[in-house]
Amino acid sequence: MNQQNSAYDVIVIGLGGMGSAAAYHLAARGQRVLGLERFTPAHDKGSSHGGSRIIRQSYFEDPAYVPLLLRAYELWEALARESGRDVYRLTGGLFLGPPDCVTVAGSLRASRQWGLAHQVLDAREIRSRFPNFTPNDGDVALYEAKAGFARPELTVAAHLALAENAGATLQFGEKVLEWAETAGGVTVRTGQGAYTAGQLMICPGAWAPQLLADFGVPITIERQVLYWLDPVRGTSSFTDHPIFIDENDSGMQIYGFPAIDGPRGGVKVAFFRKGVECTPETIDRTVYPHEIGEMRERVGQLLPDLDGPCLHSATCMYSNTPDQHFVIARHPECTHVIVACGFSGHGFKFVPVVGEILADLAIDGATDHPISLFDPSRLVTT
């Protein structure tokens, strides 16, 4: 039975990747935490599922992310140790394409700026070291040994378990209907009760447009598709294999993983940022034959052995800001409310450090982490 009108230090709305991490870091630092989630723990309705997410440090999106990634890696290791779960694995990573493409040139820029260990390989060296790949003759790759993947469902489950062990109250199947700031904090109303707290933390994922309708930050929700292809000669050559991101001459990126789910688990691949605008209520969860055919054709150009049947597929949602950078800040009009949203398809690798940042903002009022890039004022239109 839910407790009504009970007071907490912080209420966290949304217990996906970011919210589960925030709940844990807050509770571990002595805060009385209530976490509210409309679905089940580690659900597959939003953006924190699909079996794997790439982690990397040579960040082509912007070198400003690298300090956060260095801390995130420390926290990934701590999470694995404290939870006893295989939440991440380092496999090495190849970032391929023409030398001047964003994937290669951006990764090289970040690596050089921050002194990250890396190697640059030409097409012949790529084929020699990683014979599954057949890059174009003019293509190159940056190889990063510290790249790998995180397990999103395991990560969310680990943070939730640690949060509960630290004293957090976590309630599932409880949709938030409205929230309001009061003189002394916040009130949150759900279908099961009303709750008060000193502060509110909103980690809404794809539900940002509804829960933050008055926030003033434009966020577009996009349907994305994930595919698990069956290699034509089996998964054995893909088990000890790097994660990869490949960009072709037209700028279209694809990404993929090793075979991490056994001989019949296939190899997961996907297009990056090839989505269709949707809402959580209107997303089409059906994956169509023409989509599978397009994925097989594109990835088969780079990895011919992956031009095999699609074992299964899934959909997820990106929550995109106009500049594809995150939003992490106090609500500009509600001093007791902290918002983390708009992770734009590349946020999951930051989950542990975002949890730490959100706890800093709630407890200390500020953070030492560099987050000026995520100030929502850059996006608010007047």
Side-chain angles (χ1 to χ4, degrees):
M1 181 176 178
N2 294 329
Q3 296 177 320
Q4 294 194 12
N5 298 318
S6 56
Y8 297 89
D9 294 318
V10 185
I11 295 174
V12 180
I13 297 177
L15 295 174
M18 305 307 175
S20 64
Y24 163 59
H25 281 278
L26 286 163
R29 289 160 68 173
Q31 298 291 290
R32 295 171 299 156
V33 177
L34 171 64
L36 298 172
E37 168 59 55
R38 68 169 64 194
F39 298 114
T40 56
H43 62 82
D44 63 355
K45 304 297 191 297
S47 306
S48 297
H49 63 280
S52 54
R53 291 289 187 276
I54 286 176
I55 59 174
R56 54 193 166 91
Q57 295 182 352
S58 55
Y59 219 58
F60 59 76
E61 287 86 347
D62 194 313
Y65 285 88
V66 173
L68 296 176
L69 287 162
L70 297 176
R71 177 56 178 161
Y73 267 57
E74 295 175 349
L75 292 171
W76 280 115
E77 173 58 27
L79 180 63
R81 182 176 63 252
E82 293 168 15
S83 69
R85 304 183 192 221
D86 185 20
V87 293
Y88 84 107
R89 190 182 309 168
L90 300 185
T91 62
L94 275 179
F95 311 118
L96 309 94
D100 59 350
C101 74
V102 170
T103 304
V104 174
S107 298
L108 186 59
R109 178 170 64 119
S111 295
R112 288 174 171 169
Q113 180 172 328
W114 292 100
L116 304 175
H118 67 281
Q119 296 172 284
V120 178
L121 311 177
D122 62 24
R124 180 187 60 80
E125 292 170 318
I126 297 167
R127 298 185 194 107
S128 175
R129 287 184 57 178
F130 306 100
N132 282 335
F133 290 88
T134 58
N136 296 326
D137 288 340
D139 285 352
V140 299
L142 183 142
Y143 176 73
E144 178 191 333
K146 287 190 173 182
F149 63 89
R151 290 284 206 174
E153 293 91 343
L154 280 179
T155 298
V156 173
H159 275 135
L160 292 175
L162 290 172
E164 282 196 310
N165 289 343
T169 299
L170 307 179
Q171 297 176 184
F172 298 91
E174 191 160 352
K175 179 182 177 181
V176 171
L177 302 178
E178 63 181 3
W179 60 269
E181 190 171 41
T182 65
V186 294
T187 298
V188 176
R189 187 171 66 85
T190 74
Q192 285 74 40
Y195 309 95
T196 61
Q199 296 189 81
L200 174 64
M201 195 168 286
I202 305 177
C203 303
W207 287 263
Q210 291 104 306
L211 279 171
L212 297 169
D214 298 327
F215 191 39
V217 173
I219 293 178
T220 302
I221 310 304
E222 286 187 349
R223 169 187 179 269
Q224 305 288 334
V225 183
L226 314 172
Y227 308 83
W228 284 259
L229 303 181
D230 193 15
V232 295
R233 286 194 284 266
T235 57
S236 59
S237 68
F238 286 90
T239 54
D240 184 17
H241 199 265
I243 60 92
F244 69 89
I245 302 173
D246 176 74
E247 184 175 338
N248 63 14
D249 290 335
S250 66
M252 178 58 68
Q253 295 167 304
I254 59 171
Y255 64 93
F257 299 83
I260 61 179
D261 295 316
R264 296 304 302 158
V267 173
K268 179 185 166 185
V269 295
F271 287 101
F272 187 48
R273 302 199 187 287
K274 192 175 185 296
V276 176
E277 189 170 339
C278 67
T279 70
E281 292 72 34
T282 63
I283 182 173
D284 188 347
R285 298 287 185 179
T286 300
V287 178
Y288 297 94
H290 75 271
E291 295 179 300
I292 295 171
E294 188 177 13
M295 185 77 255
R296 286 181 58 185
E297 179 181 3
R298 172 68 175 88
V299 78
Q301 297 166 4
L302 179 68
L303 295 142
D305 278 0
L306 281 188
D307 188 15
C310 183
L311 297 173
H312 64 101
S313 57
T315 58
C316 70
M317 289 177 283
Y318 286 2
S319 305
N320 298 322
T321 62
D323 61 7
Q324 297 173 356
H325 295 310
F326 311 156
V327 172
I328 303 174
R330 285 200 174 272
H331 194 295
E333 297 178 1
C334 303
T335 58
H336 300 300
V337 179
I338 298 166
V339 175
C341 62
F343 288 95
S344 302
H346 64 112
F348 199 87
K349 60 186 68 65
F350 298 90
V351 156
V353 72
V354 169
E356 184 173 71
I357 289 166
L358 293 173
D360 288 345
L361 295 178
I363 297 169
D364 303 324
T367 182
D368 290 334
H369 290 298
I371 63 168
S372 59
L373 184 62
F374 311 140
D375 187 333
S377 65
R378 74 188 194 276
L379 301 172
V380 176
T381 57
T382 56

